[in-house]
Amino acid sequence: TQVMKKGILILAGIFAMTFVSCKEDASKKVKEENVGIAAERDEQNKDLPVMTFQETEYDFGTINEGDVVEHIFKFTNTGKAPLVIVSAKGSCGCTVPEWPKEPIAPGATGEMLVKFNSNGKPNLQNKQVTITANTEAGKEILKIKAMVTPKAQPASGAPVSQ
């Protein structure tokens, strides 16, 4: 039985070494696969659309409360894949964007119309439009601002007619 114990120990030793070496090979393989996947992903990222705006901020200047103003933000897809704008949302209901619904090919241009309704928005207003698109960042931001002259308020203490 002494020989049997030695045989079992030797087999156990060989098994342990085989198991450890398999683990090392597996981890090397996983690392190589990850490197390949990362390289492939990075290669694909180079082919993403890029939304390049002529301007990302616009100042309407001084407007009167109640005015509805609008501005067109022009952009070009300077990337290598079609640009798809999923959505565009204003930071409040007073800021409404309109955007192209069809994909914009690489090199092509598009326009984003932003309307601002100043009713009930006196004084300095800073608003933004968040664009969700298939760009690398996934989100693009446009900003508008305006100095809104408040409407004349009715004089207080005036007699109320009944």
Side-chain angles (χ1 to χ4, degrees):
T1 63
Q2 192 74 27
V3 174
M4 220 167 133
K5 279 185 184 173
K6 265 190 178 172
I8 291 171
L9 277 175
I10 290 171
L11 279 174
I14 291 170
F15 178 74
M17 284 181 358
T18 305
F19 183 71
V20 169
S21 67
C22 280
K23 248 174 104 175
E24 285 175 15
D25 288 346
S27 68
K28 280 181 191 167
K29 187 178 175 190
V30 167
K31 283 180 186 161
E32 285 169 16
E33 280 177 20
N34 285 347
V35 167
I37 290 167
E40 207 173 289
R41 183 192 64 222
D42 292 346
E43 193 59 41
Q44 287 172 346
N45 282 350
K46 291 177 187 164
D47 295 341
L48 286 172
V50 178
M51 212 171 177
T52 305
F53 283 92
Q54 287 181 359
E55 60 189 346
T56 55
E57 295 183 26
Y58 185 76
D59 186 348
F60 287 108
T62 302
I63 61 174
N64 293 316
E65 185 178 345
D67 287 356
V68 177
V69 290
E70 55 186 52
H71 180 70
I72 293 173
F73 288 92
K74 294 183 179 188
F75 61 89
T76 304
N77 177 2
T78 57
K80 296 181 180 173
L83 170 69
V84 177
I85 300 171
V86 179
S87 69
K89 291 190 170 85
S91 52
C92 80
C94 61
T95 307
V96 181
E98 292 177 16
W99 66 93
K101 305 300 188 264
E102 69 283 345
I104 291 130
T109 59
E111 295 180 347
M112 169 109 17
L113 174 69
V114 178
K115 292 182 184 176
F116 172 65
N117 183 344
S118 65
N119 195 32
K121 303 281 178 198
N123 306 315
L124 182 62
Q125 298 293 318
N126 285 297
K127 304 295 178 195
Q128 70 180 31
V129 173
T130 303
I131 301 161
T132 304
N134 63 334
T135 56
E136 187 174 2
K139 293 210 180 306
E140 309 294 327
I141 305 283
L142 297 176
K143 295 179 179 179
I144 59 164
K145 73 178 187 178
M147 177 51 85
V148 182
T149 304
K151 285 181 185 170
Q153 298 298 319
S156 58
V160 178
S161 59
Q162 293 185 343

